Amino acid sequence: MRRLLNHLTGRGALRDAEMAIVLVVVGAVFVWLMKSP
Amino acid sequence: MSQKKPLYLAEANVLWIIIAVIVAIDAIWLPLSGITITLGPAFLIGLTTLAALHLVYTRARPHKRIAAFALTSLQLVVFTVAGTFLVYLTVTSKFPLIDRYLVAADAVMGFHWLPFFNWVKDHPAADRAFGIAYDSAIFQIFVLLIVLNATGRLERAREFTWVFILTLLACVILAWLFPAESAWVYFGATDRVDAYHVADFTALRAGKMTEIILTKTNGLITFPSFHAALGLILIIASRRTFLFSVFLPLNLMMIVSAITSGGHYLVDIIAGLALVPIAILMWWKLKRMEASQ
């Protein structure tokens, strides 16, 4: 539990949030481009 | 001692070479055909965004999963766009249409397209469900790639990319050599569907198309069905993930929907499905070569 709390409040959480946001952005651009052809 | 590159990076260069060959064929064929292409600013902005994100998360701020996803997206998009132009160019070859042979092959299997099509059209709920399944392909790829990359299944994402590209490439070549107008046209059912491809297909074969606008392109392949192939690819790529229980029924439906929502003959579906194991074998072979290096 302590490790999870450390993760959620530390740099790991920021890194995970960044990954989630960028993955969705990349995915959205991908769908947008693939919709063209 | 040199460190071995992860598989997803080493084979990516091989895939770039394949994509470059397709782009080069387009670049040579387009001026010869007298057809021009319009990509549009949106495409170029999107492509630059993906390339920039890949670069940032490879060099400036290394993050393997984001970099891998950006690379995979970039390769799928560039190949699909180059492949789309290639399909349009191949139609100008005007090889003899094979629709009647496809109908005969269906009859040999005891399948009669028109009664099946009419049954679906007479049942709006089934027709709508097939339509939704057919149109879900890109959204499914979006979800699949996010899940695979977010959970670190990078090699599975690369497997999907390779199998997608190899299968689509095989479809392009077969559709070039064995063109067909689609079951919608053959059976005179175009008034009951949005036969989106007919205008371009006819104009290209008549030599009346002078410009291909990327945002207005359509799928022109009848034989084999890439939608059917993609359905199977998505099922296989989602194995042992939580997506599988949704992807299995949805894609089985997408495979069948290609008959009514895509104007495909049954034999198109079977041929499309048959290409997938061949592409997977090629991917395995590539992985073995990579491992033995």
Side-chain angles (χ1 to χ4, degrees), chain B residues 117-242:
Chain B
F117 175 81
N118 285 334
W119 183 89
V120 173
K121 285 292 163 190
D122 292 341
H123 294 79
D127 190 29
R128 209 171 307 122
F130 278 141
I132 291 168
Y134 191 79
D135 292 335
S136 70
I138 293 175
F139 183 68
Q140 285 192 67
I141 298 174
F142 165 79
V143 173
L144 176 80
L145 289 180
I146 286 194
V147 168
L148 292 182
N149 285 282
T151 55
R153 293 180 174 96
L154 304 186
E155 197 167 307
R156 180 76 65 82
R158 296 305 298 169
E159 173 193 294
F160 171 80
T161 309
W162 269 93
V163 176
F164 178 102
I165 287 178
L166 291 176
T167 308
L168 183 51
L169 194 55
C171 285
V172 172
I173 295 167
L174 287 170
W176 173 40
L177 300 172
F178 308 107
E181 275 185 304
S182 89
W184 288 335
V185 177
Y186 188 86
F187 290 105
T190 48
D191 56 330
R192 298 188 75 183
V193 291
D194 173 21
Y196 48 83
H197 74 293
V198 176
D200 286 357
F201 189 83
T202 310
L204 284 162
R205 283 184 68 91
K208 289 181 178 165
M209 186 174 263
T210 53
E211 184 187 15
I212 306 169
I213 302 167
L214 180 61
T215 50
K216 292 181 180 170
T217 51
N218 292 301
L220 302 183
I221 295 176
T222 290
F223 173 84
S225 164
F226 182 65
H227 247 91
L230 184 56
L232 182 56
I233 295 169
L234 285 164
I235 292 171
I236 293 168
S238 67
R239 69 190 183 275
R240 291 195 293 276
T241 72
F242 68 91

